[in-house]
Amino acid sequence: MIKHSFTLCILLLLCGISMAQSYNNPESIAYDQAADRYFVSNKSGNTIVQLDSDEKVTTFVSDDLNGPKGLLIVGDTLISVNNTSVQGFLLSDASRVFNILIDGAVFMNDVTSDNKGNLYVSDTSTGKVYQISLKTGKYSTLVDSLVSPNGLLYDSTRHAILICNWGGNAKIQSFNLSDSSLSDLVTTELSNLDGLTCDDKGNIYVSSWGSNAVYRFDASFKNSPVLISEGHNGPADISIIQDKQILCIPNFNSNTIQFVNLDHQK
């Protein structure tokens, strides 16, 4: 088993010379619990690598990727978002099981899924969020005219897609899947928001490139955000391993991955 602790964070940073050779603008990280391994998308390297339980980094997928960013595991499949396509790879052998090309897409970014077999993908350049059926492969525009949508998160309590945005005083918004309404949850004092994730208590975490930090909002978004981790370098698509309470942070600009033990947080 990988030992998750602040010590591991320090070791990864201190060993950055060797580890960084395997990461090339890491954008997203997804944990495969069954195999105790992580998948990391290398946007500039056009690869997806895996970090095994023995801390060895190897290539998982290297063919036909175009700026891979958001990653998500659904069942036995690793979902990868590329600039203009969404691809699926079997966890067992990395074979590609689907490749959905999105007409008009430019810079698709993050991905989330609901409990009904749908994917949701943001396109930061076009201001759209797409809905894709995993069963049929058909897609449609869920919402458009957004301001640089980046990170996405399905909120089962609201039955909504949460969206964080790039830019100054960035908003976190909610698109209600029941009535197709878009609302602002909060207009932050943060800039260039990238990733969204949540813990088992319903708190929402967001990464900010503007302050190179990760913050936690309570589920109501009525209180000021709490600083959880700082000193990052382009913190991108964050994720939480729920049963371990580990926050995973890919540092896009320093080619490193960091792990933060949330049990140590207030």
Side-chain angles (χ1 to χ4, degrees), residues 52 84 94 101 118 138 171 221:
D52 295 322
T84 58
L101 298 174
N118 297 304
K138 294 182 178 179
K171 294 179 179 180
F221 288 92

Side-chain angles (χ1 to χ4, degrees), residues 218-219 237:
D218 60 65
D237 290 342

Side-chain angles (χ1 to χ4, degrees), residues 205 216 226 228 262-266:
Y205 296 69
R216 182 183 68 216
V226 176
I228 295 299
L262 294 177
D263 285 337
H264 294 171
Q265 304 296 318
K266 294 182 179 180

Side-chain angles (χ1 to χ4, degrees), residues 17-31:
I17 295 177
S18 60
M19 296 297 288
Q21 293 174 356
S22 296
Y23 300 129
N24 191 346
N25 293 145
E27 171 69 23
S28 186
I29 183 168
Y31 180 62

Side-chain angles (χ1 to χ4, degrees), residues 20-66:
Q21 293 174 356
S22 296
Y23 300 129
N24 191 346
N25 293 145
E27 171 69 23
S28 186
I29 183 168
Y31 180 62
D32 177 10
Q33 185 174 18
D36 191 25
R37 60 180 172 175
Y38 297 88
F39 294 106
V40 178
S41 58
N42 283 328
K43 177 181 176 293
S44 294
N46 288 321
T47 60
I48 299 172
V49 298
Q50 62 180 13
L51 171 63
D52 295 322
S53 57
D54 60 0
E55 300 183 17
K56 181 180 180 181
V57 181
T58 56
T59 299
F60 184 69
V61 177
S62 60
D63 296 329
D64 299 322
L65 295 176
N66 178 19

Side-chain angles (χ1 to χ4, degrees), residues 56-173:
K56 181 180 180 181
V57 181
T58 56
T59 299
F60 184 69
V61 177
S62 60
D63 296 329
D64 299 322
L65 295 176
N66 178 19
K69 290 177 281 300
L71 295 179
L72 179 70
I73 293 175
V74 178
D76 62 357
T77 304
L78 176 68
I79 312 296
S80 171
V81 173
N82 298 270
N83 286 333
T84 58
S85 69
V86 180
Q87 301 184 24
F89 303 92
L90 287 181
L91 297 175
S92 57
D93 60 8
S95 59
R96 191 171 71 182
V97 291
F98 66 80
N99 182 23
I100 302 171
L101 298 174
I102 307 297
D103 185 42
V106 177
F107 191 81
M108 293 198 299
N109 205 321
D110 198 16
V111 59
T112 190
S113 64
D114 61 19
N115 50 15
K116 296 183 178 180
N118 297 304
L119 297 177
Y120 301 89
V121 178
S122 61
D123 189 324
T124 305
S125 292
T126 64
K128 295 181 178 181
V129 173
Y130 297 99
Q131 181 183 57
I132 304 170
S133 169
L134 277 173
K135 183 178 181 179
T136 66
K138 294 182 178 179
Y139 66 89
S140 60
T141 299
L142 184 75
V143 58
D144 57 13
S145 300
L146 298 172
V147 180
S148 303
N150 199 328
L152 301 179
L153 177 67
Y154 174 64
D155 184 335
S156 59
T157 301
R158 293 182 173 89
H159 188 48
I161 304 300
L162 305 191
I163 307 163
C164 70
N165 299 278
W166 199 256
N169 295 117
K171 294 179 179 180
I172 299 178
Q173 299 174 289

